[in-house]
Amino acid sequence: MPRSYDELLSRAREGLVQESSKSGALRLELPVPDVIWVGNKTIFRNYSEFPKRLRREPSRVLMYLAKELATAASLDGERAIFIGRKDRESFTQLLQRYMKDGVLCAVCGSPDTHLEKEKRMWFMVCEAFGARSVAKVV
């Protein structure tokens, strides 16, 4: 029994909505930063999980966080140590911004990207789509 045009159109739209809900940004979920304070230092205990999930070098992510927080930072094994008291929300917002500007493809939104350096410029190359864009955050 043939279906009506409206039924087929509705079915196609449902399929598109389901596909778009599985977009790249939703695949990449960051954990909650585990932050404690010891004296005047902030210790980011689960720091090593973030560069792994973002597929970026730990030193580059740390450099970005230190620059944005305007403080000195260092790596200590699996954790990062920042001078001064920084709250969990600051780390959450900065890591979300880093993901948006330095990890997600500007064209398709896929988190499957890597960085390439050409002369003095860094480019973000999408492994899913093949798009190349200038990296805002390295």
Side-chain angles (χ1 to χ4, degrees), residues 12-118:
R13 282 190 179 141
E14 287 173 15
L16 288 174
V17 169
Q18 290 173 356
E19 279 297 313
S20 66
S21 68
K22 296 178 186 173
S23 72
L26 296 177
R27 283 189 304 135
L28 181 61
E29 291 185 19
L30 296 177
V32 176
D34 184 11
V35 176
I36 61 169
W37 298 294
V38 176
N40 193 30
K41 294 181 181 177
T42 301
I43 299 177
F44 191 163
R45 295 195 296 188
N46 63 340
Y47 171 76
S48 66
E49 294 177 34
F50 292 87
K52 286 177 191 172
R53 293 218 182 156
L54 296 171
R55 297 175 52 204
R56 296 294 184 260
E57 292 179 33
S59 59
R60 291 198 181 277
V61 178
L62 184 71
M63 191 169 46
Y64 171 80
L65 291 173
K67 185 179 102 179
E68 291 295 317
L69 292 169
T71 189
S74 63
L75 283 176
D76 181 31
E78 299 285 307
R79 62 189 192 165
I81 300 173
F82 295 85
I83 303 299
R85 289 181 150 243
K86 311 298 179 199
D87 63 336
R88 177 181 300 148
E89 190 60 33
S90 297
F91 288 108
T92 302
Q93 288 176 356
L94 287 173
L95 288 164
Q96 290 291 334
R97 189 179 332 148
Y98 183 86
M99 185 174 71
K100 182 177 151 266
D101 292 342
V103 176
L104 298 179
C105 175
V107 177
C108 69
S110 170
D112 300 323
T113 61
H114 67 273
L115 295 173
E116 287 182 1
K117 187 173 183 178
E118 208 172 284

